Amino acid sequence: MSDDMVTLSIDGLEVSVPKGTHLIRAAEAAGIAIPRFCDHPLLDPVGACRQCLVEITDAGNGRGFPKPQPSCTTEAANGMVALTGASSAAARQAQADILELLLINHPLDCPVCDKGGECPLQNQALADGRGETRFTDVKRTYPTPTPVSELILLDRERCVLCTRCTRFADQIAGDPTLALVERGAKQQVGIYPDEPFHSYFSGNVVQICPVGALTSADYRFSARPFDLVSTATTCENCASGCQLRVDARHFEVKRRYAGEAPDINEEWSCDRGRFGFVSARGEDRLTRPLVRRGGELQPVTWPEALAAAVAGLTPALGSTGVLTGGRLTLETAYAYSTFARKVLRTHNIDFRSRLASDEEAAFLAAYVVGRPDVTYADLDRAARVVLVAFEPEEESPAVFLRLRKAVRKGGLKIATIAPYRSRGAAKLGAELLPAGPADVVNALAGLTADENTILLVGERLAATPGGYSALAGLLGRTGARLAWIPRRAGEIGALVAGCLPGLLPGARPVDDPEARAEVAKVWGELPAVDGLDVTAMIAAAASGRLRALVTSGIEAADFADPALVAAALKTAFVVSLETRLSQVAAAADVVLPVDLLEQQVGTFLNWEHRTGAVNQVVDHPRLPMTEVRVLAALAAALGTPLGFATPEAARAGLLTLPRYEGERASMLRIEPETALPSGVVLASWRELLDDSRLLDGAGHLVATAPPAVARISPQTRRTEGLATSTFVRLTGPKGSVTFPLVVTPTMVDDVIWVPARARDKLLADIGVDVGGAVTLSAAPDPKKEGEE
Amino acid sequence: MSHFQSYFPDTGSVDMTDRTSALDKSHIERLTAMADRYPERRSALLPMLHYVQAVDGRVSPVGIEICAEIVGATSAEVSGVATFYTQFRRRAGGKHHIGICTTALCAVMGGDALVETVERKLGIQADETTPDGLFTLERIECNAACDFAPVMMVNWEFMDNMTPDKAEQLLDDLAAGRVVHSTRGPEITSWADTEAVLAGLDDGRADEGPSAGGPSLEGVRLAAEHGWTGVPGKDTK
Amino acid sequence: MTDTLTPVLTRNWGTDRSWTLDAYRAQGGYAGLKQALTMSPKAVTDLVKDAGLRGRGGAGFPTGLKWSFVPQDNPNPKYLVVNGDESEPGTCKDIPLMMASPHTLVEGVIISAYAINAHTAFIYIRGEVAHPIRRVRAAVREAYAAGLLGANILGSGYDLELIVHAGAGAYICGEETALLNSLAGLRGQPRLRPPFPAVAGLYASPTVINNVESIATVPSILAYGKDWFQSMGTEKSKGFTIYSLSGHVARPGQYEAPLGITMRELLELAGGVRAGHTLKFFTPGGSSTPILTAADLDVTLDYEGLAAKGTMLGTKAMQIFDETVSVVRTTRRWVDFYKHESCGKCTPCREGTWWLAQILARLEAGEGEPGDVDKLVSVASSIGGRSFCPLADGAVACVTSAVKHFREEFEVGYTTPAWEHLPYAQSTLFAKEVRP
């Protein structure tokens, strides 16, 4: 027996558990259920509800406890003898008494409570409670419900004060704006009235509430647990790979809960993953193909649509670009990769509907694709993590939670290369290594790191010329470990599927003869001409050099230059595969509707390259066409069979490729720009709850987003003559945009930060990229201006 | 039960409808200095909230927000602290705080009767303030002066061995602005002044009042009478 | 042979300007500190341990032993926190001590902090007592000015900062972990043990928390020695303590005596029950200790003697009630107190006191229903021993002990209001003053 284990007896069953394990966990390990409310394995124990009392006849020292002990806070000890309600009348009595006390002030309104049917309190009352109450006195009542945010409602009368929600807010999310207030019998969960419980993780409190005290504004009164059909799936909102449990009723998703995935998101989900699932329920949902006739998109039959696509694409074979966006499953991405090379005879394919560079593409091919090096569990154990152009709370919330846990529990130290110490960085206790966009290269060059350092790199590094080159140098110099964490759920899958001009499936460089030969066995002979990347494709399409585009799930606003994208869409022949009539689809010549993610199967590869199954949640009869099926039909119509027509077959096709053992792509070294822009430099990133189309319809969720503000340092405020302004106008070559001004002490001087995609404030519209210079001027309060 | 308040519509927060505050830059500097006295700033929260009361007459929303900012907590957390402790007022009260102990022993010894007397005299119930803004009445719990029961506290100064007659006289004197002294403490000034003392400000009144009241000295008196001593040496009588 | 009363802590309470440094020094004050500074911290701890001083705040845990639990190899700072949150109903000894002789406490703090190698100490005083706070603050100021606090105390090289901190009204903060939370600027709710404060207390650093009287006793042990201390008291309850008598007694007040004096002796010293009345019941150590009756007068007032009677020495606060008093009324008031002071953290205390209070309200009003007394006892048993901290056990103790001794009187509440059964005016201090 290891020194780290203790052996004890619970209800006569011998159990061995690691030292420090609480009795309630030891009982679980032995398959013994102990009722509980406040206990939650991922929260610090509190011992508040007292429902889990057990009898301990021997504490391991030959002496027992005269009183029943809470199993959630009592550590197992060698030789301990514990008796739960199953074998001890004293424990059973204690548990029954606590249950009775919990119910005296409970409204007993199960018939109208969302939790009814899945409520631990209800279940225990039915199983172990008294049939009749002995309590004949006056119950405690409150006005009910009270909103704690736009998303979450609180029924104080139902609350058992277990403090799971407040401990979650404090310990896990780091957003203690949900807190205990008042005292004694009036103690309650509350907010400060001017400070709602706005947290990217707020929905978790609904899920972990052991009663119906916290309910979601979206789900309230909309279904009964026993009418719901639950399906496990993987979240599509970011590259964290969170496992979800999706509950549907009548072919419609009603709610999404965090799944249980100890290796990934544990039992948590961010609010975007939880509540942002209604975007395709608007009137723009596409269910019929459209073809542009007389300048207008007209509904047509599938054969008509395919014929129109063939008519446009056939003359453009070899001169077509494929833009796949970053949100496709691995299978769909592989279908596009196949479609481009085999059917359209081109390497013009790129998944990056965002800032992108050659340098980045080379780095991804050389260092990222097929080379998973870091896992969530590694973050738990890490000693030092450096964030590079990466804001985990905004871009990969599950990574943020895991980092925060490691900081709290494991003593992890975090540093962040960023223009200011963001809210998320502060909650991680991160040390700021201040760097505006142009200083990132220097910061990387000067970074001390070793093989015990983990670098978490975000997609925004592409905005800094020379950034990935400096990173590659750092990796070579220090042996630090790397994880590249993109924002979108499909980017790692797109890399693996070969949705880059220089990359074939399975991390194969397109210019490697051996790699080409392996793929050619499956696809046939590969196009000989080098492909264009996203930037080149858009430029070529806009200028007429590229004759056609095939697009999937992209938004013009996501690109560095939306106007150029618009021009490209106008000039080229465009086939758009879409779920909704987006701006891109509206500008297309042929629009082919495809299934929603919730209607198909597939796989997401998260940032760890971990496989996450996407399962069919609803079987919608109106549109039985997955994107893979549509591509297969289009390929057939173009005269070259795709080779598969379902996601399952696409996956099988990908797996027929052997594991690639050959040379990897080589890194393209870029020197940093030496001519720095004069004036105030723009820094920016996308926030979790911004103007994303995936958030359409999720009004309650979007209402909880932090306000969109511009941030500058106190000194920049002075040097830019903004000392008395509360609003600032940023002006670039194409226009200007106004934000409320927040002076941020940690901000790098001569840099202004604004959110990239605030609602109605597209940064791209001013014509300046991150790292470029903007002109600042004082602006009046737009609201007051409107009143005048 | 009629005496049971079972509906708590106004709980959960301080009074947010009144956003007024007298806290200015100098007060904020003092609050910050209070926080800096402690190894961790948040430790100063209770004294800081006492100081907010001394200035604003209550725990004002502005005061909560300032304290939250200084100690690095959320306003909800500070509100959770402010609503936990009974000395923190959510609404403005009277110039003088009249606390009458009605825990068991004082209640039996006359505390209940004192409450009735004062309620009748002032025309208010417990937890109410007189319309002239002079008095707020509160039933308080045991105030550690049981040997002086029944106990009344005026602005948290002892008014020992209170009787209905003495209580009425006391209220008349305070209302008339006459000088009143605590039986074991200084001259009575105002509740706000006391809050400043609790916050840590020195009002220079430590030397007022006796060293101890009669009952506190019963044992010593008896020992002296009998020549009993506790310590060896020159103290021995 | 020790004397019947042994004024040590109380002996200077009546002297002129007793609260000042001059007056304290005039009667030998700070001699204990000088003695301590000649010793090693460990020797001071051992001395207090050997003397047998036990905590005077209720639990009776050996003080020196508590100090010895502080892990001196822990790299964090060590803290001493003095519990001056005196709030247990009936308890009224620390407040007069702080008012009359604050330097006794300050001297005790310096010695005790020295013993545990603390360089920051706090005196947490309940907020509802302005004048003791003034006096302790003034004493601390004097001590700093006299080189007794601050850097290099009396040239010893030992540094100590002492902060006097006012609470804001919460009985539960007398519980040591709740006090630590309160001192950290949090809601004063008890927290889990382990980790114990000695290991991870204030700011997660090693912390000793002692009652005012315990700390104030320390200088005398240093000044007069452990043999002197042990010459008083009983075998397991060494030394002297302050007994607080209140209620229907001829001369309520503070009586400092060796541990082990009997209740009968103490009551006689205080002149007996008020003239013309007889003893009905009393609390031996505050309202959280089960009540006793006239049959128990010969109990010795030490930790063991009261435990043998199924009750506790607690804070040595004897509240004495004569035959005019309705036990239903007092029990209800005590339970109302616990309900009011329950922190709300755990179910049995928060919900249980809510329920007990309602049953007792009915019984006091004569609106009880047959079975209510059994229900009262049953609900009390649902609470007792199940709560997070001892507060609820105190609430239960007063209920169950009262019903045990006076069940019939509770059953009167099925038909008759307590104020009719035992008119309340008869119990007041100013019985003749009350108007009809």
Side-chain angles (χ1 to χ4, degrees), chain A residues 97 105 134 137 182 187, chain C residues 187 189 344 351 362 375:
Chain A
D97 289 345
N105 275 314
R134 293 193 296 166
D137 293 288
E182 305 281 353
Q187 178 176 253
Chain C
R187 296 160 57 75
Q189 294 189 314
E351 308 296 337
R362 287 206 304 274
K375 193 192 279 187

Side-chain angles (χ1 to χ4, degrees), chain A residues 45-50 53 67-68 73 75 90 93-95 97-98 100-102 104-105 130 133-140 159-161 180-188, chain C residues 169-172 187 189 192 194 339-352 354-355 358-359 362 369 372 374-375 378-379 381-389 393:
Chain A
V46 61
C49 79
R50 318 303 282 180
L53 293 171
K67 303 171 180 177
T73 59
E75 285 187 7
Q93 184 64 47
Q95 291 173 5
D97 289 345
I98 297 296
E100 179 182 32
L101 290 169
L102 277 175
I104 65 168
N105 275 314
R130 290 168 173 267
T133 180
R134 293 193 296 166
F135 182 76
T136 55
D137 293 288
V138 183
K139 280 184 194 265
R140 175 176 62 226
C159 178
V160 293
L161 280 314
L180 286 177
V181 294
E182 305 281 353
R183 180 173 92 187
K186 284 188 278 185
Q187 178 176 253
Q188 54 195 267
Chain C
Y171 164 70
I172 188 60
R187 296 160 57 75
Q189 294 189 314
L192 277 180
K339 168 173 164 263
H340 185 258
E341 299 299 336
S342 169
C343 81
K345 177 168 187 157
C346 76
T347 305
C349 182
R350 181 186 66 240
E351 308 296 337
W354 172 274
W355 194 353
Q358 295 201 51
I359 298 171
R362 287 206 304 274
E369 292 163 11
D372 267 353
D374 288 334
K375 193 192 279 187
S378 170
V379 172
S381 76
S382 296
I383 302 166
R386 278 86 183 262
S387 55
F388 188 92
C389 83
D393 290 336

Side-chain angles (χ1 to χ4, degrees), chain B residues 118-137:
Chain B
V118 173
E119 284 182 343
R120 193 171 52 236
K121 168 95 180 165
L122 297 178
I124 57 170
Q125 302 288 301
D127 295 328
E128 292 178 355
T129 300
T130 52
D132 60 7
L134 267 184
F135 300 106
T136 297
L137 176 64

Side-chain angles (χ1 to χ4, degrees), chain C residues 22-145:
Chain C
D22 287 346
Y24 185 63
R25 274 185 163 150
Q27 54 105 36
Y30 287 102
L33 172 62
K34 284 179 187 137
Q35 171 63 26
L37 292 177
T38 67
M39 301 161 67
S40 72
K42 179 162 190 313
V44 176
T45 300
D46 288 344
L47 175 69
V48 172
K49 197 181 345 183
D50 292 348
L53 173 61
R54 294 172 67 174
R56 303 297 193 229
F61 193 83
T63 302
L65 189 60
K66 205 177 204 179
W67 296 359
S68 69
F69 289 159
V70 170
Q72 290 298 339
D73 54 354
N74 187 311
N76 287 352
K78 322 291 181 285
Y79 295 106
L80 174 71
V81 178
V82 178
N83 184 345
D85 193 54
E86 182 165 68
S87 305
E88 168 75 14
T91 312
C92 44
K93 62 192 176 66
D94 296 339
I95 297 300
L97 187 151
M98 290 189 281
M99 185 126 68
S101 189
H103 279 287
T104 310
L105 178 61
V106 172
E107 184 183 3
V109 168
I110 305 167
I111 298 169
S112 307
Y114 175 75
I116 62 164
N117 288 305
H119 296 288
T120 306
F122 300 87
I123 302 175
Y124 181 108
I125 307 175
R126 67 179 300 186
E128 303 101 319
V129 288
H131 211 47
I133 291 173
R134 278 192 198 89
R135 290 265 170 94
V136 174
R137 285 215 170 101
V140 168
R141 275 197 301 274
E142 282 186 304
Y144 268 104

